[in-house]
Amino acid sequence: MKALYVLILILSTLQLRAWQVLDFEQVDQRIKVYQGQTIHILADSAYVISIVRAERLNEKLQELQVAHEANLQLWQVHQEVLDKVREIERLTAQLSEKMLRDQHAIALNIDEIIAELDRSIAVLKDANAQLQASNDELSWQLAEMELTVKHLRQQIRRIWWQSTADKIVVAVVTFGMGLVVGMAAL
């Protein structure tokens, strides 16, 4: 009977022990175990830590989560800034290309303007040469006209003196004839 009593005692201990045995399987992420309980690990591996360490680990995980969220926000801001920088680079490249095109166009326009000015200068030089020749011709003609005017004035003076002399002669002859006739009539 002793054997039976020992057998019942062993069976009840085993049953009590079975109630205190917990299985940790592959699909389990965590289980809470109390002092005196037995864990039967059916997974590949498992970690056992105290509740103090678990709480500290949870705090660190929360800090990590906050840091991760801050990192995500910073990454989003970084992406926005990077997008803006890329847009600025694109606009700067477009502006640079436009400035080069404008500079080339301005250079071409300046070359055309200089060529047009050179043509205008040549035309003006020809016009100045023609005007100088015309001025020289007009100066010669003016000198000739002045000589002609001087000659005509001399001729007018000579004619005036001749007409005056003729008038004096006519007056003297008429006076003399009037005297002769007046004397003859007497």
Side-chain angles (χ1 to χ4, degrees):
M1 188 76 187
K2 240 181 180 188
L4 184 63
Y5 180 69
V6 170
L7 185 62
I8 291 177
L9 185 64
I10 291 175
L11 284 176
S12 66
T13 309
L14 285 177
Q15 189 178 22
L16 185 62
R17 212 77 182 124
W19 179 75
Q20 289 184 350
V21 172
L22 295 174
D23 290 335
F24 186 80
E25 298 177 5
Q26 190 76 17
V27 294
D28 290 333
Q29 288 185 7
R30 64 181 173 196
I31 59 171
K32 191 171 187 179
V33 180
Y34 296 100
Q35 183 179 3
Q37 288 182 323
T38 305
I39 304 167
H40 185 239
I41 299 175
L42 301 173
D44 290 342
S45 61
Y47 294 99
V48 178
I49 59 171
S50 69
I51 195 157
V52 172
R53 287 209 180 249
E55 287 174 356
R56 185 162 167 97
L57 182 62
N58 283 337
E59 288 173 5
K60 293 296 180 185
L61 286 174
Q62 287 176 351
E63 289 176 16
L64 181 64
Q65 182 66 28
V66 168
H68 178 71
E69 289 173 5
N71 186 8
L72 283 177
Q73 290 175 351
L74 288 173
W75 186 80
Q76 287 174 345
V77 169
H78 172 75
Q79 285 299 330
E80 291 172 5
V81 169
L82 185 62
D83 291 343
K84 289 178 182 178
V85 167
R86 286 182 181 146
E87 179 68 16
I88 289 170
E89 286 176 345
R90 185 184 65 79
L91 292 173
T92 303
Q94 286 178 350
L95 181 62
S96 177
E97 290 173 11
K98 185 176 184 323
M99 287 173 63
L100 286 174
R101 284 192 310 266
D102 289 349
Q103 183 180 11
H104 182 69
I106 288 170
L108 289 176
N109 285 342
I110 287 175
D111 289 343
E112 290 174 8
I113 290 169
I114 290 172
E116 182 64 31
L117 287 173
D118 288 341
R119 286 190 293 272
S120 297
I121 289 169
V123 167
L124 288 174
K125 282 182 180 178
D126 289 343
N128 284 342
Q130 290 175 357
L131 286 173
Q132 186 63 41
S134 295
N135 284 344
D136 291 344
E137 178 69 24
L138 288 174
S139 293
W140 179 79
Q141 288 177 358
L142 184 61
E144 286 293 316
M145 286 180 162
E146 285 178 1
L147 287 175
T148 304
V149 166
K150 189 176 182 183
H151 180 68
L152 287 174
R153 282 186 182 155
Q154 287 174 353
Q155 289 295 327
I156 290 171
R157 270 188 234 133
R158 190 179 54 77
I159 292 172
W160 184 79
W161 282 112
Q162 282 179 354
S163 72
T164 304
D166 287 343
K167 288 179 188 174
I168 291 174
V169 170
V170 169
V172 169
V173 170
T174 308
F175 182 70
M177 281 181 64
L179 273 173
V180 170
V181 170
M183 290 235 205
L186 273 175

